[in-house]
Amino acid sequence: LHLHSLDFHLAPWLDLGIFESVVYGGRFELLYFIPMVAYFNSQGMTGFSDNSLVGLNGRVSPTPGLDLKGVLYVDDISFNDMASGNFDTKYKVAVQVGASLSPASILDSVAPGAMPWVQRHFIRLVSVDYTAVTPYTFTHENTADGPYNWESYTHAGQSFGPALAPNSDRVAVRALVR
């Protein structure tokens, strides 16, 4: 698995990034060690026998103490179908969106120093996120390599991505209390 990313800190309240990965095996591929090269184009030089994925991530903090985050990871989409208006096609994507809220930070930004009890507040952080993995995401098969499936997005049976099977989703709520 090779992965590279390019992240931009555009403002104190805004971060955006793009990342790309490629899964391959059975050989040592020097093309994937070149920094900031598009893996999809590089795998074209090897006969498209590998599995490349691309993703976007972002964070927005509209007010102190509130973070909104998201990640979109695209394994495979049928670009030609989508470009022709056929949206009933294969989508192999994973997405995660979430929000984190720190009540103490928000109250302190509204009235700094006016509420000393905020420092002793019971709830320090609350976060909620939703993760979804569409059917067949992270599943690839290349039978040309014999019994080894180099293209699956796993190691020893565990996914490199979220700990969710394809065609599943999860809502997680977490709280940090003191």
Side-chain angles (χ1 to χ4, degrees):
L1 172 70
H2 282 263
L3 176 108
H4 58 218
S5 67
L6 188 57
D7 296 303
F8 301 97
H9 183 68
L10 301 173
W13 53 271
L14 179 63
D15 295 323
L16 295 175
I18 184 169
F19 55 97
E20 186 179 29
S21 63
V22 66
V23 180
Y24 73 100
R27 68 186 192 283
F28 186 74
E29 187 58 64
L30 288 173
L31 273 173
Y32 298 140
F33 285 92
I34 300 171
M36 298 315 302
V37 65
Y39 287 147
F40 181 77
N41 292 339
S42 295
Q43 78 164 337
M45 295 179 194
T46 64
F48 289 105
S49 60
D50 304 327
N51 179 18
S52 63
L53 303 95
V54 67
L56 300 170
N57 61 295
R59 177 198 60 90
V60 176
S61 294
T63 184
L66 176 62
D67 277 345
L68 307 173
K69 299 178 182 179
V71 176
L72 172 68
Y73 202 27
V74 178
D75 186 0
D76 196 7
I77 57 173
S78 182
F79 179 78
N80 291 339
D81 286 345
M82 292 177 59
S84 65
N86 178 13
F87 298 106
D88 186 22
T89 185
K90 66 178 177 179
Y91 300 101
K92 293 170 98 175
V93 300
V95 64
Q96 183 176 21
V97 293
S100 298
L101 176 69
S102 172
S105 297
I106 291 177
L107 290 174
D108 195 39
S109 69
V110 172
M115 298 177 231
W117 63 272
V118 168
Q119 299 305 319
R120 299 183 311 274
H121 201 269
F122 180 68
I123 299 174
R124 306 301 288 179
L125 182 69
V126 176
S127 64
V128 176
D129 69 55
Y130 174 74
T131 306
V133 180
T134 61
Y136 308 109
T137 301
F138 307 130
T139 60
H140 284 262
E141 185 175 357
N142 184 355
T143 55
D145 291 330
Y148 302 107
N149 184 10
W150 305 112
E151 295 184 6
S152 69
Y153 201 69
T154 62
H155 174 71
Q158 298 297 315
S159 174
F160 285 124
L164 291 175
N167 199 26
S168 59
D169 61 351
R170 162 182 72 203
V171 174
V173 179
R174 294 177 203 87
L176 176 62
V177 296
R178 185 176 133 185

